[in-house]
Structures are given as structure tokens and as C-alpha cells.
Amino acid sequence: DADVTQTPRNRITKTGKRIMLECSQTKGHDRMYWYRQDPGLGLRLIYYSFDVKDINKGEISDGYSVSRQAQAKFSLSLESAIPNQTALYFCATSDPSGGLYNEQFFGPGTRLTVL
Amino acid sequence: AQKVTQAQTEISVVEKEDVTLDCVYETRDTTYYLFWYKQPPSGELVFLIRRNSFDEQNEISGRYSWNFQKSTSSFNFTITASQVVDSAVYFCALRAITGANNLFFGTGTRLTVIP
């Protein structure tokens, strides 16, 4: 089984709808991240969490909120989706005690389309 | 502030040709980590390599090689004898050891290998 899973993998929704993207991990990592990928822009950080009680905004947090329900779960919500939130969303985890590199492990991505 | 520049938006090569993907980074940190990821058409991110700022040794892994030069803030990636399966978007990324510990991605280079 994959270490970092994301649900749903694909979602089409309409403007104004509330939508939640979920991320689960079995790696036991404390740190979790949400990134957004737009064509030609690479990946940008939306939110990150260092533990269940520590949640921080990233570069592009406007229009998004997150919830860290447990160490293993980190959800991203769009309260009122708009078309320019159409993108590929990635969840990632890392373990600061994991050694020199603190490698980030990415989920498979969620492709979201807002009509 | 961290910044990664991949000036090559798209590259096309004929199969078996060598190709180099350029990556230039900016950071004020003395300790940092550099990464390359591959994103095939299916969308997932595939980790290729990581380098820390203290290790300037070039690395070769099969047909892949990486040239890290701190003097020019570059971390270039060469594919030797390219194959159709190498067709993908390639991202260079930088991670500092402070702050969110997130990855700062370049905008990616789309490589197309023509049979």
C-alpha cells in the first residue's frame, strides 16, 4: 500500500461549492504539507503542519483552510470553490528526525476542476 | 528568500540524443538541499536525486547524471542516450533548513523524446 494517499484522485465541482481534499499517511511523520501545481508555475505551498496543534499558512493560503485531524490525516478545504482553484494538488510528509535530508514524500495528487 | 529557475520551458530531442536540463537557484542559506523530480504524464512526482550544499560531487546513476556547482548556483541534470520513456516534466527544487522546511520548486522543463 502507498505510504501517502490522497482522496479523491479526481474531482469536478462547480463554482461556490465546498470541497475537501484528504490526505492520509502511514509513515508516522509529524510534518505534512499541501502544495498546488498550476501549469507553468511549478508547485507552491498552501499550508503546512508540524504537528496536530501546529498549522501554518504557506505562500498561497487565501481561499483555503486545513484541518489536522490526527498525526496521519491532513485535509485541505475550499470553502467556496472558484475556477482559478483548478489545479493539481499534492500532499507531502516529512520527518525532521529522519536524518540529514528530511526528504519529502509526496502523495499521488488530486486533480481538481472547478467549473 | 529561496528561488529556483528553470529557464528551459520545453525541450525536444530525438531518441538516443543526450539532453541537459538546467537549474539555477538562489538562497541566502549556507545549508540547503537540492532535488530533482520527474513528473510523467500520469501526474505523480517521482523522486530522482537529492544533494546537500556541502556535497559538490557530481553523481551518475545509469543514464542520469547531475552536475552541482555552487560557484554558479547551478544543479544541472543530464540524460544520456534519451529514451521515449524519459518524456516527462522535470522539476528542480530547493529546500532550506529553516522555516517551513518546504520545497521551493522551479517551473519545470517539459522534455519530449521523439522516437
Side-chain angles (χ1 to χ4, degrees), chain A residues 31 33 35 37 100-101 103, chain B residues 39 50 95 100-101 103:
Chain A
R31 297 186 177 187
Y33 303 79
Y35 292 88
Q37 182 185 359
L100 185 63
Y101 293 107
E103 180 182 343
Chain B
Q39 186 177 47
R50 57 177 172 252
R95 185 176 67 77
N101 280 177
L103 292 171

Side-chain angles (χ1 to χ4, degrees), chain B residues 15 38 63-64 83-88 90 113:
Chain B
E15 197 171 21
K38 174 182 180 180
R63 297 185 296 108
Y64 296 169
Q83 300 176 1
V84 173
V85 293
D86 295 328
S87 296
Y90 291 86
V113 181

Side-chain angles (χ1 to χ4, degrees), chain A residues 9 31 33 35 37 40-45 48 50 59 88 90 94 96 100-108 111, chain B residues 33 35 37 39 41-45 47 50-52 55 89 91 95 97 99-108:
Chain A
R9 294 293 312 277
R31 297 186 177 187
Y33 303 79
Y35 292 88
Q37 182 185 359
L41 290 180
L43 280 76
R44 293 176 293 167
L45 183 66
Y48 64 100
F50 280 3
E59 178 187 354
L88 183 56
F90 286 99
S94 73
L100 185 63
Y101 293 107
N102 288 358
E103 180 182 343
Q104 293 208 347
F105 297 85
F106 285 87
R111 193 169 297 277
Chain B
Y33 305 93
F35 300 80
Y37 286 87
Q39 186 177 47
S42 52
E44 75 271 21
L45 288 170
F47 165 79
R50 57 177 172 252
R51 260 289 176 265
N52 73 58
D55 183 2
V89 179
F91 290 99
R95 185 176 67 77
I97 63 170
N101 280 177
N102 60 296
L103 292 171
F104 291 86
F105 283 82
T107 52

Side-chain angles (χ1 to χ4, degrees), chain A residues 58-109:
Chain A
E59 178 187 354
I60 53 167
S61 60
D62 287 349
Y64 301 95
S65 62
V66 292
S67 173
R68 186 82 184 265
Q69 302 94 324
Q71 185 202 41
K73 296 184 182 297
F74 192 35
S75 300
L76 176 71
S77 294
L78 289 67
E79 296 300 326
S80 180
I82 56 177
N84 77 358
Q85 291 178 312
T86 294
L88 183 56
Y89 291 84
F90 286 99
C91 174
T93 74
S94 73
D95 177 9
S97 65
L100 185 63
Y101 293 107
N102 288 358
E103 180 182 343
Q104 293 208 347
F105 297 85
F106 285 87

Side-chain angles (χ1 to χ4, degrees), chain A residues 8-70:
Chain A
R9 294 293 312 277
N10 291 280
R11 180 71 181 268
I12 300 174
T13 191
K14 294 183 179 180
T15 297
K17 294 291 187 180
R18 183 179 187 277
I19 184 169
M20 179 181 288
L21 309 183
E22 299 185 340
C23 176
S24 295
Q25 52 117 345
T26 58
K27 302 190 75 66
H29 290 170
D30 286 329
R31 297 186 177 187
M32 298 187 73
Y33 303 79
W34 276 104
Y35 292 88
R36 165 180 171 163
Q37 182 185 359
D38 296 279
L41 290 180
L43 280 76
R44 293 176 293 167
L45 183 66
I46 306 173
Y47 268 96
Y48 64 100
S49 171
F50 280 3
D51 65 40
V52 175
K53 296 182 180 180
D54 183 5
I55 294 177
N56 303 278
K57 294 181 177 180
E59 178 187 354
I60 53 167
S61 60
D62 287 349
Y64 301 95
S65 62
V66 292
S67 173
R68 186 82 184 265
Q69 302 94 324

Side-chain angles (χ1 to χ4, degrees), chain B residues 8-51:
Chain B
Q8 303 153 308
T9 304
E10 296 189 23
I11 300 176
S12 292
V13 298
V14 176
E15 197 171 21
K16 297 185 182 178
E17 288 184 344
D18 298 347
V19 58
T20 295
L21 309 183
D22 297 333
C23 173
V24 174
Y25 62 91
E26 296 176 29
T27 181
R28 294 181 179 178
D29 293 334
T30 55
T31 300
Y32 52 89
Y33 305 93
L34 297 165
F35 300 80
W36 275 95
Y37 286 87
K38 174 182 180 180
Q39 186 177 47
S42 52
E44 75 271 21
L45 288 170
V46 178
F47 165 79
L48 296 178
I49 191 171
R50 57 177 172 252
R51 260 289 176 265

